[in-house]
């Protein structure tokens, strides 16, 4: 039986680590649906894959949770793509879109800060490429399959 505690990766965005409370991936197909007068069946055009998005509830806990949350929010506000690592997904380059992060804290949970993040894949990124430092970081994070995941970006 698989020991999930040993195989899940720690979450991070551009090197800022966080714990993952939950994550969701959404996507689908872009469809143009044409309904005609008197028609019984619509005509559907498949226009390709829709852009995927990742919703992550990250949390930071401990005496420096507020400082760590501010570092994560600062990184999410940086221009350009960032390097996202989630527990069960391959590392990837992503953007944080407009309204892509929200911080929450509760008086009953001092020392715990949650940050809801939304990411979209970077797609074709002009002027940015992963370097040796990015690959070294991925391997140091315990990513045995990082070369396969990163090879599609070179």
């Amino acid at each position: 039986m698989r020991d999930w505690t040993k195989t899940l990766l720690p979450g991070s965005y551009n090197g800022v680590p966080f714990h993952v409370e939950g994550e969701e991936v959404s996507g689908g197909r872009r469809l143009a649906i044409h309904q005609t007068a008197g028609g019984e069946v619509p005509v559907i055009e498949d226009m390709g894959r829709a852009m995927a998005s990742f919703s992550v509830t990250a949390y930071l806990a401990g005496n420096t949770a507020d400082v760590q949350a501010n570092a994560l929010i600062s990184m999410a506000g940086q221009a350009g793509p960032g390097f996202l690592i989630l527990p069960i997904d391959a590392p990837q380059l992503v953007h944080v879109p407009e309204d892509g992060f929200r911080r929450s804290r509760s008086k009953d949970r001092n020392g715990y800060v949650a940050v809801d993040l939304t990411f979209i894949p970077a797609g074709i990124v002009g002027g940015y490429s992963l370097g040796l430092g990015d690959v070294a970081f991925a391997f140091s994070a315990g990513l045995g399959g990082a070369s396969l995941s990163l090879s599609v970006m070179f």
Side-chain angles (χ1 to χ4, degrees):
M1 178 167 231
R2 181 176 177 182
D3 184 357
W4 283 89
T5 59
K6 292 183 180 174
T7 59
L8 293 178
L9 304 172
S12 70
Y13 180 64
N14 271 355
V16 178
F18 54 81
H19 302 284
V20 177
E21 178 83 23
E23 60 180 286
E24 295 178 3
V25 177
S26 63
R29 306 288 300 171
R30 294 179 302 129
L31 301 176
I33 301 171
H34 307 283
Q35 297 179 348
T36 57
E40 298 294 324
V41 179
V43 175
I44 300 174
E45 289 181 86
D46 188 334
M47 300 179 66
R49 186 178 309 193
M51 180 180 60
S53 68
F54 306 89
S55 298
V56 178
T57 299
Y59 72 92
L60 305 126
N63 291 334
T64 60
D66 54 342
V67 174
Q68 295 170 346
N70 286 338
L72 181 58
I73 288 169
S74 175
M75 194 57 63
Q78 297 292 317
F83 193 61
L84 175 65
I85 299 175
L86 292 175
I88 63 172
D89 295 325
Q92 58 189 306
L93 283 174
V94 295
H95 286 280
V96 178
E98 181 179 5
D99 296 328
F101 62 86
R102 186 179 75 237
R103 184 188 75 187
S104 60
R105 189 191 71 72
S106 170
K107 69 176 181 140
D108 296 333
R109 297 180 85 180
N110 288 328
Y112 177 97
V113 179
V115 181
D116 293 316
L117 297 155
T118 301
F119 301 100
I120 57 173
I124 299 171
V125 182
Y128 185 86
S129 63
L130 292 176
L132 190 55
D134 296 310
V135 175
F137 171 76
F139 279 103
S140 70
L143 305 176
S147 63
L148 293 175
S149 301
L150 298 175
S151 66
V152 299
M153 298 179 193
F154 289 102

